[in-house]
Amino acid sequence: MRFVDVPHMVRWIEHTGPRAIISGMIDAMELDFARWHSFELTPRMPSHSELGVIELMPTSDGRTYSVKYVNGHPSNPSRGYQTVVALGVLSDVDNGYPRLLTEMTLLTALRTAAASGMATRLLAPADAGCLGMIGAGSQSEFQVLAAMAVRPIEQVRVFDVDRAASEKLASNLAPLGIEVSIAPSAARAVAGADIITTCTADKRNATVLRREDVREGAHINAIGGDCPGKTELDPAILDMGPVFVEYTPQTRIEGEIQAKPADYPVTELWEVVTGARPGRVSQDQTTIFDSVGFAVEDFSALTYLDRCLTAPGGERFFTGIDLLADPADPKDLFGMLSSGSSLHGRRPAEGAVELIRSA
């Protein structure tokens, strides 16, 4: 099976370019959303703890199965760890064999940016030129690139409670010719912005964006809320215009709309993609994308990567690993052990005996 470790993933992203990957992934994701009902749709399976959450995010279109293992631990950076790490698997449904194992920390950042980019392409003002960012953590550079992939962004302003994070964002994007202005407050970062992206990490109900700071007609990508009890927006913002989500049952538990009644009206993005329901209907309409991340987006990212790996030249970006026991005779797994006959009756090693006794 193909294995993409961190060095191979970095090599692929640097070779292809993060903006090009995000653009390609947006297109792939929109095609998958257009066939929404081909997928098994189920909320992620979380295991919550005091410090964070570990989740599995599976789906299948009947031919290919994907699953992502991912965590979310907001206090990790203060302890020297990433807030989010992930790995993913892509398998063939017809025989159940995995064909791809990959790191997904970097890939998830690209995937999350692509989801915002898709929503921005569907919902933001066509002439949007100003992006206001609240939060300059590990997602921020990718989010800027996604907005620039689908709209003619000329100005980027950012605010983070940690100024060093904003300086990091500006420094990382400068070589790409993108100038980032560091704002002294969230209100200043989003003042007059056509697109607003919130991507903070605190695992709590917070208000990082206030109703009075949002201009009518803006598009908002709220991507930081992704678990129960974690929000970013003043709930009054949700009443400024239509709210768009990935998968309603999951978003009602984890998204901004957890602050609203259970029957609060929302539109799923696939409905906009297929034309079943409208997106933005006027220039002065405010639109809100309440994003929590969904397994179909991971499927899009994994299958997009897989296609790139199997294209000419793609072999540079993975290695083959023998991870699946696959004997010549499917019924003779034991026969793979070259010394299998000599194992019968062998006494456990001394250390093993001590473990058995202590048990």
Side-chain angles (χ1 to χ4, degrees), residues 26 44 182 206 299 301 305 315:
I26 290 170
R44 60 178 131 233
I182 300 176
F299 179 99
L305 170 63
E315 66 278 358

Side-chain angles (χ1 to χ4, degrees), residues 23 52 54 64 103 118 145 148 179 184 194 204 217 230 241 244 268-269 308:
S23 295
I54 297 173
T64 301
E103 86 81 42
M118 179 177 65
L145 293 176
M148 298 188 78
E179 183 177 347
D194 304 303
R204 62 190 177 93
K230 180 184 177 187
F244 300 84
E268 294 189 337
L269 275 185
C308 291

Side-chain angles (χ1 to χ4, degrees), residues 46-55 203 226-228 253-254:
S47 175
H48 292 279
S49 68
E50 186 176 329
L51 291 177
V53 62
I54 297 173
E55 300 168 326
K203 190 179 179 182
D226 58 2
C227 66
I253 297 170
E254 302 178 346

Side-chain angles (χ1 to χ4, degrees), residues 58-224:
T59 192
S60 170
D61 67 352
R63 298 184 302 276
T64 301
Y65 172 90
S66 73
V67 62
K68 182 172 76 174
Y69 168 101
V70 62
N71 78 303
H73 286 66
S75 66
N76 268 2
S78 65
R79 298 183 292 147
Y81 302 108
Q82 287 286 312
T83 300
V84 174
V85 295
L87 56 88
V89 175
L90 206 59
S91 300
D92 295 320
V93 169
D94 64 347
N95 59 13
Y97 275 37
R99 67 173 187 259
L100 172 66
L101 171 63
T102 179
E103 86 81 42
M104 278 198 78
T105 307
L106 283 162
L107 192 64
T108 292
L110 293 162
R111 177 276 264 171
T112 303
S116 295
M118 179 177 65
T120 300
R121 183 160 70 182
L122 293 169
L123 304 171
D127 59 352
C130 180
L131 169 65
M133 296 272 302
I134 302 177
S138 59
Q139 288 282 339
S140 56
E141 291 88 351
F142 301 93
Q143 290 291 320
V144 172
L145 293 176
M148 298 188 78
V150 297
R151 288 296 184 267
I153 303 298
E154 297 178 348
Q155 185 179 17
V156 179
R157 297 195 300 263
V158 63
F159 170 75
D160 194 292
V161 292
D162 177 8
R163 182 178 175 85
S166 296
E167 292 172 348
K168 175 269 305 179
L169 171 66
S171 176
N172 283 343
L173 292 181
L176 301 178
I178 302 169
E179 183 177 347
V180 177
S181 300
I182 300 176
S185 67
R188 291 281 293 276
V190 305
D194 304 303
I195 300 169
I196 299 170
T197 298
T198 60
C199 49
T200 59
D202 279 351
K203 190 179 179 182
R204 62 190 177 93
N205 288 318
T207 302
V208 303
L209 182 64
R210 300 178 302 175
R211 164 66 179 84
E212 57 265 30
D213 295 329
V214 180
R215 77 163 184 85
E216 297 288 343
H219 170 68
I220 302 168
N221 292 314
I223 72 165

